[in-house]
Amino acid sequence: GESVGLHLPTLSVQEGDNSIINCAYSNSASDYFIWYKQESGKGPQFIIDIRSNMDKRQGQRVTVLLNKTVKHLSLQIAATQPGDSAVYFCAETPFQNSGYALNFGKGTSLLVTP
Amino acid sequence: EPEVTQTPSHQVTQMGQEVILRCVPISNHLYFYWYRQILGQKVEFLVSFYNNEISEKSEIFDDQFSVERPDGSNFTLKIRSTKLEDSAMYFCASSGGQGSNYFGPGTRLTVT
């Protein structure tokens, strides 16, 4: 069936470097994408979102890129800090404004080393 | 900043027992969800709730599960007869209908 998945289960970066976390999706009807950060023992925390009519969106130190042609989503974190260490999930849903449930990917564990 | 709250933070129950997990969504949100996460795995959708009825549910959400909004603030998930494989983190989330689900801290359910 349709799925959302990530290319790498773990990513280790040095403090101050930029991080790139990738995600592939297969549902052509996906319209809205979100990146979540999950720290140990906590619930997913919203980072940034993007609609399918955009290909790039920037937040504070984070950028999400969407390539609909190859169904690929990435999260870029600039100047990665130790507090960025967490598991990052991409999630998608067909419609932004319908309250549809999210389909999550498997997660990438980001480890920031000093 | 408004947030989703959940109680209890940890629930231990024996197989076959009923459990009720409780959530208080963000007050002006209209859509409510339950997700679960088995240890080390991805977050899985269980059910969504809108306008006092289930709007969508996954294959996981079988007859053992039910949801209720008993009053204007609480949203509950009931598991009628727990099984060992129900052990997981259960997350409540809410949305204003603009897409992004805001998650609570979760309830860790341990079935022994």
Side-chain angles (χ1 to χ4, degrees), chain B residues 91-110:
Chain B
F91 293 107
C92 174
S94 68
S95 166
Q98 299 303 308
S100 56
N101 293 188
Y102 291 87
F103 284 78
T107 292
R108 178 170 298 283
L109 177 64
T110 302

Side-chain angles (χ1 to χ4, degrees), chain A residues 3-4 32 34 36 38 41-46 49 89 93 95-107, chain B residues 31 33 35 37 40-45 47-48 55-56 89 91 95 97-106 108:
Chain A
S3 65
V4 179
Y32 179 60
I34 309 172
Y36 283 93
Q38 187 178 27
K42 297 184 178 180
Q45 177 187 359
F46 173 90
D49 57 0
F89 293 94
T93 188
F95 302 101
Q96 180 183 8
N97 296 321
S98 67
Y100 276 29
L102 296 175
N103 179 28
F104 277 78
K106 293 180 182 178
Chain B
Y31 297 85
Y33 310 85
Y35 293 82
Q37 185 178 34
Q41 298 187 22
K42 68 176 182 176
V43 178
E44 300 175 290
F45 167 72
V47 64
S48 59
S55 52
E56 191 177 355
M89 282 291 288
F91 293 107
S95 166
Q98 299 303 308
S100 56
N101 293 188
Y102 291 87
F103 284 78
R108 178 170 298 283

Side-chain angles (χ1 to χ4, degrees), chain A residues 12 23 48 50 53 58 61-62 81-82 84 88 114:
Chain A
S12 183
C23 178
I48 192 167
I50 188 167
N53 62 352
Q58 288 184 293
R61 282 203 306 119
V62 294
Q81 302 169 359
D84 295 326
Y88 290 80

Side-chain angles (χ1 to χ4, degrees), chain A residues 50-101:
Chain A
I50 188 167
R51 289 201 68 178
S52 61
N53 62 352
M54 304 171 67
D55 53 21
K56 180 179 180 179
R57 191 160 188 228
Q58 288 184 293
Q60 187 176 14
R61 282 203 306 119
V62 294
T63 300
V64 55
L65 299 177
L66 175 62
N67 185 330
K68 294 179 290 294
T69 303
V70 296
K71 297 188 180 69
H72 184 268
L73 189 71
S74 69
L75 175 70
Q76 300 178 0
I77 305 173
T80 316
Q81 302 169 359
D84 295 326
S85 293
V87 177
Y88 290 80
F89 293 94
C90 63
E92 58 85 16
T93 188
F95 302 101
Q96 180 183 8
N97 296 321
S98 67
Y100 276 29

